[in-house]
Amino acid sequence: MNAMTRQAERIRQKFLALADTDLSSQDCKTAIIEEVRLLIPFAAACCTAVDALTMLSTGAVTETGVENMHPKLFVFEYLNEDFNAFSRLAEADVTVAALSTATSGQLEQSARFRNVLHPEGFGDELRAALVEDGKCRGFLTLFRSHEQPFFSEEECVALSLITPALAYCLYRTTLVVPQLHHTKRPTGPGVLILSERLELLSADAAAESWLSALQHFERIGDATLPRPVRAVCMRALSSAGKEVHPGEQPNVCVAMQDGSYLSIRASRLHALTEGDAKLAVCFEDAKPSDMLPVMAELYGLSARETEILEQIVAGHSTREVAVTLHISAYTVQDHLKAIFAKTGFSSRRELIWHVYSRFSAKQFP
């Protein structure tokens, strides 16, 4: 085992241990960048957490030099085709890739390099989809300056050794319920309108409060659009020309600092008069139906158990669940027993109360 592999193993063990602490999601992202820098030299980095179901950002940490080009990187990821797209890396057998390798050392073949990286003084780029147990939990991007050498194969291999541990830790930190404090938080739904260039055009008071809360959560300035908002907007723009049914708008649930969850949706508005189309972004406390996937992951529920839970939360009886899912009432009861065993609850009433309280803003003053 060489020195780089030993260092990778040390980092892997560290993040497996950190996963069982009360480390916050933002602090985890910062720690990932700091520890990876001890393994692989780079000029700047960005670490992003994503919703495993939608692959949309739930928050990021960027270093100096990256924030200026971050909006353009979103455009390339969602609207343009280029090398090492995260959506493809997340499904690949090897989830770590250097731009220099993908372009055979000819970085200028990449439009992202020509139009985004090079103008900001960067050269090679190393991307890692943070995948654990088949689910992508985040993205890590390392940037080198023009003066630094390309990322080596050894460095790519070393990073791939630790990505599952980084992904696991990042996921676990999103489930941490913080010590609750009597702090003021936004309440009620909010709406903001943006141009297709993501320029803020108008917002109601609630939306402004939610924006401020997200900026505080991500530790960014009030002139920077929060990553989850940018992500749902880009996904909405990428669906231009496609039929989007009601309720199918791009959506992401973000765990806020008070332990509640915020649902953010975006939709592309059609211009009824001459002028550019606009984007509407809606903020609201996550509904129980929004949180069922979170609960399923938290308690390790199977796909069928999650379906049962969804029916129970909707108020359906055992017989109604059986008819809806085309299974027997006895099978429904067996699944309920398994759900109770995994969650630690002993009745439907207790389970439903948990859905409406553990993930609800109503428990916070």
Side-chain angles (χ1 to χ4, degrees):
M1 185 182 293
N2 61 30
M4 182 169 284
T5 303
R6 287 194 297 272
Q7 178 76 332
E9 178 58 20
R10 184 196 66 78
I11 294 173
R12 190 183 75 85
Q13 293 294 339
K14 177 172 183 174
F15 278 95
L16 289 177
L18 284 174
D20 294 325
T21 68
D22 59 356
L23 188 72
S24 73
S25 178
Q26 289 298 94
D27 287 339
C28 179
K29 299 181 191 85
T30 300
I32 286 173
I33 292 174
E34 291 174 349
E35 289 294 325
V36 171
R37 180 172 269 115
L38 300 177
L39 179 69
I40 301 170
F42 53 84
C46 173
C47 185
T48 303
V50 301
D51 183 318
L53 296 176
T54 64
M55 297 285 285
L56 294 174
S57 172
T58 59
V61 167
T62 57
E63 291 193 313
T64 303
V66 178
E67 192 55 53
N68 289 340
M69 64 181 182
H70 208 233
K72 296 178 183 177
L73 292 174
F74 268 87
V75 171
F76 268 90
E77 186 64 26
Y78 289 97
L79 303 181
N80 298 330
E81 283 289 327
D82 205 70
F83 297 93
N84 297 340
F86 278 119
S87 58
R88 291 195 294 269
L89 279 179
E91 298 178 351
D93 293 333
V94 179
T95 64
V96 175
L99 187 59
S100 56
T101 301
T103 60
S104 300
Q106 304 298 313
L107 297 180
E108 60 276 6
Q109 290 184 13
S110 164
R112 185 171 69 251
F113 171 76
R114 296 193 307 270
N115 299 319
V116 183
L117 303 183
H118 185 268
E120 294 293 334
F122 292 111
D124 201 8
E125 173 197 70
L126 182 59
R127 288 186 163 197
L130 305 182
V131 178
E132 178 266 333
D133 195 24
K135 295 180 180 178
C136 185
R137 306 298 186 182
F139 307 138
L140 176 65
T141 313
L142 312 180
F143 304 94
R144 279 190 168 158
S145 67
H146 290 309
E147 294 77 21
Q148 292 177 301
F150 290 160
F151 289 102
S152 68
E153 182 179 355
E154 182 185 22
E155 289 169 328
C156 293
V157 171
L159 184 56
S160 69
L161 293 175
I162 64 173
T163 51
L166 302 183
Y168 179 68
C169 186
L170 194 56
Y171 165 60
R172 294 295 300 177
T173 61
T174 64
L175 302 178
V176 171
V177 181
Q179 295 295 320
L180 302 181
H181 301 286
H182 294 277
T183 56
K184 186 177 180 181
R185 68 186 300 280
T187 57
V191 178
L192 61 84
I193 305 297
L194 301 100
S195 72
E196 287 195 324
R197 294 179 294 279
L198 303 194
E199 301 162 326
L200 183 60
L201 301 178
S202 59
D204 60 19
E208 289 180 334
S209 295
W210 283 119
L211 275 179
S212 179
L214 286 167
Q215 288 161 341
H216 181 264
F217 169 72
E218 287 199 82
R219 303 168 188 172
I220 55 179
D222 56 13
T224 303
L225 196 64
R227 280 62 166 206
V229 175
R230 188 176 296 279
V232 293
C233 287
M234 284 297 171
R235 179 66 59 81
L237 289 174
S238 69
S239 63
K242 303 175 185 176
E243 185 177 3
V244 179
H245 300 286
E248 294 182 353
Q249 296 95 342
N251 175 41
V252 66
C253 285
V254 180
M256 302 298 287
Q257 286 182 308
D258 60 3
S260 65
Y261 282 77
L262 172 67
S263 176
I264 307 173
R265 287 182 170 83
S267 56
R268 190 169 181 271
L269 305 178
H270 298 288
L272 300 180
T273 57
E274 281 196 30
D276 294 337
K278 297 177 177 60
L279 291 159
V281 177
C282 300
F283 303 92
E284 61 181 343
D285 290 314
K287 300 181 179 67
S289 58
D290 296 324
M291 301 317 305
L292 289 178
V294 176
M295 280 194 68
E297 284 209 274
L298 178 61
Y299 295 112
L301 303 183
S302 68
R304 177 60 88 182
E305 289 164 354
T306 304
E307 288 180 321
I308 299 287
L309 178 59
E310 184 176 5
Q311 294 291 316
I312 295 301
V313 170
H316 297 158
S317 67
T318 297
R319 182 178 178 281
E320 290 170 331
V321 174
V323 171
T324 300
L325 300 182
H326 306 290
I327 56 180
S328 71
Y330 295 108
T331 301
V332 173
Q333 292 290 2
D334 287 340
H335 283 304
L336 277 173
K337 289 177 184 177
I339 293 171
F340 292 150
K342 290 180 178 180
T343 60
F345 301 113
S346 58
S347 68
R348 295 187 189 204
R349 184 187 298 274
E350 214 177 351
L351 184 63
I352 292 173
W353 178 88
H354 185 66
V355 176
Y356 279 90
S357 61
R358 158 66 174 86
F359 299 109
S360 172
K362 293 183 177 63
Q363 64 175 315
F364 304 106

